[in-house]
Amino acid sequence: MGKLKNRPPNQDRRPIAPAVLQTILQRRAEIIYKMDHGFKAGDLADMYDLSESSIRRIYKERHKTATALKTGEVSVRKGKKAVIKLEYPEVDEGVLKFLKWVREESSKDLVALENWFTVDLPEVLMNVDPRNLLNADEASLFWRNFGVKSLIIGRWQKTGVRIAKDRITIFLLCSAAGEKFVICVIGTEERPRAFEKNAVHDVTVDKYGFSYYHNSTAWMTTAIFNSWLDWLNAEMVKQDRHVLLVVDNFIAHEASSRSNVTLHFFPPN
């Protein structure tokens, strides 16, 4: 096998058009913004068709992107810089200010979150038995989607194949001691086809071991949450237990504590 030819030196390469450079700058700003808001490098690598190392490098050199948004000067190769004329300098300056504000607000949120975990939460949990400390949360189940990723071959997706987006919501509940409660399922149909085929009527926890609700979006709603909370309170009354239920600060979780269930919310995110 012959040797690979040396790549041409930088001065022989075709210069990148200013419009392309501006697009690169905008993509870097988006990546930095998403990394600041909890996105993982692997997910962003799939999203932008880049390697994880490139994503991490862009985030590590985020100060260069901030400078480029101010001056319109972006580094494209080691030792060389290209000066581009921004099409909308006022907008780009506004984007820079917004990113700075978001970063400052994010840092404030982290301080509030740390204070909640180190001060507020220990006071609440001081006299709570782990068995009576409960946490509930929703999870989406795309039950017809076979996925587009694999641990073996990475991301894959055949062209022309439509990804199924049929979804149900599963509401899970467990205690800090490891006790698992029956699940709550939220679908879009009042009587799904599977219920009809198996002659399932009047789904209750006592009869089928799970509870079922429905609405047009299969999302958790305040009405469903309050109904579920009434069921949980009735179960705790039967067991003569008083529990502390910790849930997300989510608009659908707007409810008041019950006789045997005290609600406590995570800080807003």
Side-chain angles (χ1 to χ4, degrees):
M1 181 182 294
K3 294 183 178 180
L4 295 175
K5 295 182 178 179
N6 294 328
R7 298 181 64 181
N10 289 344
Q11 59 267 24
D12 294 336
R13 294 181 182 175
R14 185 178 179 181
I16 302 176
V20 176
L21 291 178
Q22 186 173 357
T23 302
I24 294 173
L25 190 61
Q26 292 171 349
R27 289 183 63 186
R28 289 180 183 176
E30 290 177 4
I31 291 170
I32 293 168
Y33 176 81
K34 291 177 179 178
M35 286 284 286
D36 281 337
H37 284 73
F39 280 74
K40 296 181 180 179
D43 295 335
L44 292 176
D46 292 336
M47 193 180 302
Y48 290 93
D49 196 22
L50 296 171
S51 64
E52 285 191 38
S53 60
S54 297
I55 297 293
R56 298 184 190 280
R57 178 180 55 79
I58 289 172
Y59 186 71
K60 183 178 180 181
E61 299 176 351
R62 55 190 179 275
H63 63 283
K64 294 183 180 180
T65 301
T67 302
L69 283 170
K70 277 186 175 180
T71 63
E73 187 178 270
V74 57
S75 176
V76 291
R77 298 185 189 91
K78 188 174 181 180
K80 298 193 74 176
K81 288 185 177 180
V83 178
I84 60 175
K85 184 177 180 181
L86 299 177
E87 187 175 357
Y88 303 105
E90 296 86 359
V91 175
D92 290 317
E93 183 66 23
V95 170
L96 177 62
K97 290 180 179 179
F98 173 73
L99 291 175
K100 287 182 177 178
W101 174 82
V102 166
R103 186 169 298 169
E104 291 172 0
E105 291 298 317
S106 298
S107 63
K108 293 179 183 177
D109 292 342
L110 290 176
V111 171
L113 184 62
E114 183 179 358
N115 183 71
W116 187 85
F117 271 108
T118 57
V119 179
D120 298 340
L121 188 59
E123 291 180 359
V124 173
L125 303 181
M126 189 174 298
N127 298 314
V128 179
D129 187 331
R131 180 172 172 267
N132 294 326
L133 175 60
L134 310 183
N135 176 234
D137 201 1
E138 296 87 358
S140 294
L141 175 61
F142 293 85
W143 56 276
R144 293 184 62 188
N145 189 344
F146 54 82
V148 295
K149 282 187 177 181
S150 168
L151 293 176
I152 300 175
I153 60 176
R155 184 178 178 87
W156 66 277
Q157 181 177 345
K158 294 182 179 179
T159 58
V161 177
R162 183 178 179 181
I163 299 177
K165 297 182 180 180
D166 304 72
R167 173 184 58 82
I168 60 174
T169 295
I170 299 177
F171 195 44
L172 304 170
L173 174 68
C174 68
S175 73
E179 181 183 3
K180 300 174 184 177
F181 294 79
V182 295
I183 65 173
C184 168
V185 180
I186 307 173
T188 57
E189 302 294 335
E190 182 178 1
R191 288 185 55 76
R193 187 177 303 174
F195 287 10
E196 295 285 352
K197 287 185 176 181
N198 294 279
V200 174
H201 302 280
D202 301 324
V203 177
T204 62
V205 172
D206 294 333
K207 289 175 65 175
Y208 297 103
F210 70 97
S211 57
Y212 181 78
Y213 299 89
H214 73 278
N215 57 48
S216 60
T217 59
W219 291 344
M220 173 63 76
T221 64
T222 303
I224 293 176
F225 181 71
N226 276 273
S227 176
W228 174 87
L229 197 58
D230 289 336
W231 165 81
L232 177 62
N233 186 67
E235 290 295 314
M236 296 301 102
V237 170
K238 291 178 184 178
Q239 301 177 27
D240 193 22
R241 291 171 61 182
H242 291 266
V243 298
L244 176 65
L245 175 62
V246 184
V247 292
D248 290 337
N249 198 328
F250 172 43
I251 189 171
H253 294 166
E254 289 184 357
S256 56
S257 298
R258 303 302 198 260
S259 62
N260 288 51
V261 179
T262 302
L263 281 174
H264 195 75
F265 298 95
F266 287 112
N269 53 17

